[in-house]
């Protein structure tokens, strides 16, 4: 299994997956979130992601 961080030439491999699964099993896996955005703001979320410089994940929600 291979993960991509989105940048060219930046790949994570099975070792990273093993580490992530170990954290998940211990209940200590955390994923920083920038802010939840309503699905209606998907275009804005895309623009924010394209602008770069994020240190957290963008999440689209169906709940208001």
């Amino acid at each position: 299994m291979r993960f991509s961080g989105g940048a060219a030439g930046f790949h994570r491999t099975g070792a990273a997956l093993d580490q992530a699964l170990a954290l998940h099993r211990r209940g200590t896996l955390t994923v920083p979130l920038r802010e939840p955005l309503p699905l209606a703001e998907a275009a804005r979320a895309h623009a924010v992601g394209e602008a770069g410089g994020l240190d957290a994940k963008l999440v689209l929600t169906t709940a208001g």
Side-chain angles (χ1 to χ4, degrees):
M1 177 159 281
R2 182 167 69 170
F3 293 89
S4 170
F10 184 71
H11 298 288
R12 296 182 175 104
T13 61
L17 177 60
D18 291 341
Q19 290 175 343
L21 287 175
L23 291 171
H24 173 68
R25 288 183 186 118
R26 287 195 301 264
T28 58
L29 178 66
T30 59
V31 177
L33 301 177
R34 182 171 189 269
E35 67 179 292
L37 296 169
L39 188 56
E41 295 187 37
R44 182 168 78 93
H46 183 74
V48 169
E50 285 289 313
L54 292 175
D55 60 352
K57 298 294 183 188
L58 293 169
V59 175
L60 293 174
T61 65
T62 57

